Amino acid sequence: MKRTVSFIVAIVLLIALAGCGPTAKLDLPFEYSGVETIEMFHFVVPMEAEKKVITEQADIQAIYELLEGISLQDKETEPVAGGSVTSLRFTLSDGTSYEVIYSAESANAGRIKTTGDEHDHFTSADIESVWESFDQEAVDAAEDELPALY
């Protein structure tokens, strides 16, 4: 009888663990010391996008550390109408750029896509707060300069 109960408990635990989606971590393919500038974009409607340019190394490091290692999940969610988008374009010292696009779905949760990813991931990290965290002047951004990953 004890074996049967133990077996049933083990099966229930395996089923419960199988229901958990795979979790990965965001791994930026560069070091913060190789970043020259970060252009941050924020909008609900692309025609009304604003931009901040981050050039101070301490600020670049803070943004890098916020993003590096955040949890990502392959999780299906419904698109949210009227959600905000916060995008970051890292201009690297080798002349290349790397982009991170975060679409908020609710408070402190959304979808994130990066350069080279074939699909986006869900994250519960508060990426949108990075926009408010830096007091650089926000200027209007043209739609054609917004990061776009296809």
Side-chain angles (χ1 to χ4, degrees):
M1 180 68 173
K2 284 186 178 182
R3 260 192 216 181
T4 305
V5 171
S6 296
F7 181 72
I8 292 172
V9 169
I11 295 296
V12 169
L13 286 173
L14 287 173
I15 291 170
L17 289 175
C20 297
T23 301
K25 300 282 185 189
L26 181 61
D27 184 24
L28 299 173
F30 53 88
E31 295 297 321
Y32 72 85
S33 58
V35 178
E36 290 184 356
T37 62
I38 300 174
E39 293 175 293
M40 286 194 298
F41 300 89
H42 186 73
F43 61 89
V44 173
V45 178
M47 293 179 343
E48 298 173 0
E50 292 183 302
K51 173 174 82 170
K52 293 180 181 180
V53 178
I54 309 300
T55 58
E56 294 295 322
Q57 195 62 33
D59 293 341
I60 290 170
Q61 181 178 356
I63 293 170
Y64 179 92
E65 289 174 354
L66 171 80
L67 293 175
E68 180 71 12
I70 63 170
S71 289
L72 304 174
Q73 295 177 326
D74 284 330
K75 178 179 171 183
E76 292 295 321
T77 56
E78 294 294 320
V80 175
S84 64
V85 174
T86 303
S87 302
L88 301 123
R89 179 178 293 129
F90 295 83
T91 303
L92 306 177
S93 56
D94 66 3
T96 63
S97 64
Y98 186 84
E99 297 179 346
V100 176
I101 300 174
Y102 173 80
S103 301
E105 293 190 350
S106 66
N108 303 333
R111 310 244 11 122
I112 190 168
K113 187 166 182 169
T114 60
T115 299
D117 275 348
E118 292 195 18
H119 67 280
D120 57 352
H121 299 278
F122 176 82
T123 184
S124 58
D126 187 11
I127 305 298
E128 189 171 25
S129 69
V130 75
W131 177 260
E132 297 298 329
S133 298
F134 296 91
D135 59 358
Q136 281 80 359
E137 180 184 358
V139 297
D140 292 339
E143 279 186 77
D144 62 352
E145 69 178 309
L146 298 176
L149 301 173
Y150 302 100

